[in-house]
Amino acid sequence: MQAFFNNRVKKHQQQMQRYLRYVFNDHFALLMTLLIGAGGLYYSNFLKTLTPPFSIGRIFIVLIFLLALTFGRYASLTKPADQLFLLPKETQMRQYLVKALRYSCIVPFAMLFLIVGAVMPLYVVSTAQGFIQFFSLFIMMTTLKFSHLLVQQTRLFLIPKKRIQRLTIIFWVYAIVTIGCSVFVTPIIGIGLGIVAAIGFYYVTWKKQTASLDWETMIDMEQDRLYRVYQFINLFTDVPAVKAVVKRRRFADVLLNRIKKVQANTYFYLYSRQFIRGTEYSGLFIRLVLIYCVMVAFLAEYWIVLILGLVCLYLIGFQMIPMYHRFRYMLLSELYPVSEKLQKQAFRKLLALILSGATIIFALAVLMTQPFTNGLLIIIAFIVFDGCFLYGYVPQRLKKMNP
């Protein structure tokens, strides 16, 4: 079973690498560099305004650590067919699950390393202790995350749901106490409590576990985990496993009815209907607009507001480009031909409306939170970016997509 799991991990990683090359491209690297640089500078300036010990900071650290524990889910890498073909091997599945548990620790532990490292400056200011406590906090967090994965693993077995709920509640209460002791007292206590938790949950949820596997739940958990991963990847490239949900949205009929029913507007009507009714594109637009408006409310530096706005506008426009090929295989457009020139014009027209709508909302948010002069400069930068994106980037991008 260990060789079988290793083979499955290999295939899973090959599939992820095939998608991730579209995610971690040059554009994404540039945007992340800007965001991390801007965020790091803002974070540094904020810490300089604090006077140690900053007692309120301890509460924020506890909340951040608790949120960090929610990152990372148990990865069993099971598939729907396993319920039939691996059922005779159920007695040997414990070896498989041991490997799965170890594999599930890799990404969460790496993220905890980065999160604890990012929180350390705030921890030093809040507690007046040294950076040497990083290792103690990291060990405490990894033992708690290991316990959390063990609790998730209990859902793979045919045991009462009330017991699983009880174990979950016990874990989170214990995690709050452990993190609280680490932050408000000393990290040494947190290490001790974390190790006790790991040993205790390992004994209760694994050593004493004699129940049979719940194959349906195990497969559903893995499919749900993969779907969440694919949803993120789908922001950068089309993923066949992610299918958009279509909604009626009667309130938008007023807008669609304003489009004249002429041949020149064939693709403009189709693109508009796809954007409004499909959650794949409209949902992305709404999320990015809301995220920017919320972030602007808490930011004072105009240049950070400007950079974040340009990033959000770029992401909105960039993620709409795959819509251009949405109706590539529609036969009616072949029976009643519509030139490619009209198709490009229709797509650019809709994209201009989408970016203009986002720019207007961003402008209102900026004017409400920034001085008028700074806000006006930011809005002008947004308008210039929209023009460059629509008439500079998009034509070149569509040309590459249709060589």
Side-chain angles (χ1 to χ4, degrees), residues 113-126:
F113 183 86
L114 297 177
I115 292 172
V116 174
V119 171
M120 280 307 298
L122 178 61
Y123 178 84
V124 172
V125 173
S126 301

Side-chain angles (χ1 to χ4, degrees), residues 100-256:
L101 179 63
R102 294 175 182 173
Y103 179 76
S104 302
C105 292
I106 297 175
V107 175
F109 284 11
M111 288 302 300
L112 287 176
F113 183 86
L114 297 177
I115 292 172
V116 174
V119 171
M120 280 307 298
L122 178 61
Y123 178 84
V124 172
V125 173
S126 301
T127 63
Q129 298 189 41
F131 281 92
I132 192 65
Q133 300 297 342
F134 165 82
F135 299 100
S136 301
L137 293 174
F138 177 67
I139 294 172
M140 179 269 297
M141 290 296 293
T142 53
T143 53
L144 287 178
K145 186 59 191 179
F146 181 74
S147 303
H148 186 220
L149 292 173
L150 287 171
V151 173
Q152 292 183 37
Q153 188 177 242
T154 58
R155 296 177 57 191
L156 308 183
F157 297 92
L158 290 169
I159 58 178
K161 291 185 178 180
K162 289 185 177 180
R163 183 184 173 190
I164 298 176
Q165 294 173 354
R166 188 163 54 248
L167 285 171
T168 303
I169 294 173
I170 292 172
F171 166 77
W172 284 112
V173 172
Y174 195 93
I176 293 172
V177 173
T178 302
I179 295 174
C181 290
S182 297
V183 176
F184 286 94
V185 185
T186 175
I188 302 300
I189 297 178
I191 293 178
L193 293 176
I195 294 174
V196 170
I199 296 174
F201 280 105
Y202 178 78
Y203 180 76
V204 173
T205 63
W206 182 251
K207 278 295 184 179
K208 293 183 63 177
Q209 187 62 258
T210 58
S212 301
L213 287 174
D214 187 349
W215 288 92
E216 291 184 1
T217 301
M218 179 167 58
I219 293 170
D220 289 343
M221 285 177 57
E222 179 60 19
Q223 294 302 308
D224 182 63
R225 186 190 71 85
L226 285 176
Y227 185 78
R228 291 175 182 271
V229 175
Y230 289 145
Q231 277 186 315
F232 171 75
I233 297 174
N234 195 58
L235 295 175
F236 302 88
T237 184
D238 289 335
V239 180
V242 178
K243 297 181 180 179
V245 179
V246 178
K247 296 187 177 181
R248 178 65 181 86
R249 292 176 176 167
R250 296 179 183 274
F251 65 87
D253 289 346
V254 178
L255 300 175
L256 293 175

